[in-house]
Amino acid sequence: MPTRPTPAPPQLADMLMYRLYQAWSQSNPVFVRLCEGRFGITRREWRILACAIEGGIMNSAELAAAAKLDLARTSRTLGALCEKGWLRRLHDSADRRVVRVEATAEGLARYQALLPEVSRLNALLVQDLSDAEVAQLRDFLGRIEQRGRQMGQDNIVADKASRREGGTRRAQYA
C-alpha cells in the first residue's frame, strides 16, 4: 500500500492574515501620501473625521466605536482635529460633563475634497477584480471581521502583550 506524502508545514506566506497585511502594506503608502501630503490629515484623523461626518453628532465613545478605535486614541485624535478647526466639541447645557462632537464647515469641506480621491484610489486598487469579485471580497472580509471580533470576545488567546518590553512579553524558552 502506497504511503501518502506528509504535507509541508504551513509557512508565513500561506497565512491569510499575513496576506491581508501584505495587501494593506503595499497600498497603504499611497493613501498616506494622499492624506498627509496633499490634505494635511493623518489616516487616523481622516477616519475619525469621516465617521463624525457620516455618523452625525455623537460623543467620543460612540465615535470610537464607529471608527473601531480605542477611546484613548480617539480622544487624542479628536483633540488634534479640534485644534485644526475641523471638529468642535459641544457641551450639553444641562450636564457639562456630556460632550458631543460635530464637524465644522472647514472639516466638512476637507472631507468633501478628500472623499472622491480616497474613493478613486480604492477603485484603482480593485480594478483587476470584477464587480462580482469585489462583492465577494466585501462579503468575505465582513465574515473574517465578524469571526475576529468573536475570537476576541471569546478570549481564545489569554496572553497579554507588553508594549513596554519591546512589543512582546519575553517568554522564557527552555
Side-chain angles (χ1 to χ4, degrees), residues 32-92:
V32 170
R33 286 193 302 271
L34 173 72
C35 289
E36 294 181 13
R38 189 180 306 170
F39 289 92
I41 189 170
T42 68
R43 289 169 299 130
R44 184 173 294 137
E45 289 171 346
W46 163 245
R47 191 159 140 195
I48 294 290
L49 179 64
C51 288
I53 289 170
E54 293 172 4
I57 298 172
M58 60 182 95
N59 66 35
S60 332
E62 293 165 335
L63 191 52
K68 295 182 175 51
L69 288 171
D70 63 69
L71 200 49
R73 285 183 179 164
T74 300
S75 180
R76 284 191 298 271
T77 305
L78 281 175
L81 288 167
C82 288
E83 283 178 25
K84 290 180 176 184
W86 298 339
L87 290 179
R88 75 174 142 247
R89 291 182 174 102
L90 306 170
H91 294 275
D92 188 299

Side-chain angles (χ1 to χ4, degrees), residues 50-169:
C51 288
I53 289 170
E54 293 172 4
I57 298 172
M58 60 182 95
N59 66 35
S60 332
E62 293 165 335
L63 191 52
K68 295 182 175 51
L69 288 171
D70 63 69
L71 200 49
R73 285 183 179 164
T74 300
S75 180
R76 284 191 298 271
T77 305
L78 281 175
L81 288 167
C82 288
E83 283 178 25
K84 290 180 176 184
W86 298 339
L87 290 179
R88 75 174 142 247
R89 291 182 174 102
L90 306 170
H91 294 275
D92 188 299
S93 58
D95 185 350
R96 299 288 294 169
R97 294 172 299 173
V98 176
V99 178
R100 298 205 177 278
V101 179
E102 77 172 342
T104 63
E106 189 178 340
L108 181 59
R110 180 74 41 149
Y111 169 84
Q112 290 172 334
L114 185 50
L115 185 63
E117 294 298 315
V118 170
S119 181
R120 181 181 67 81
L121 290 179
N122 272 275
L124 283 172
L125 192 59
V126 296
Q127 73 181 4
D128 299 325
L129 303 176
S130 70
D131 290 345
E133 289 170 326
V134 170
Q136 254 189 324
L137 179 59
R138 286 180 193 281
D139 177 60
F140 294 157
L141 290 173
R143 287 193 258 166
I144 290 170
E145 287 173 32
Q146 185 176 351
R147 175 59 57 198
R149 194 169 26 259
Q150 187 63 52
M151 290 167 64
Q153 290 170 354
D154 292 347
N155 200 29
I156 66 166
V157 176
D159 304 285
K160 302 288 184 201
S162 175
R163 301 291 176 191
R164 293 184 195 118
E165 304 205 15
T168 61
R169 289 185 186 250

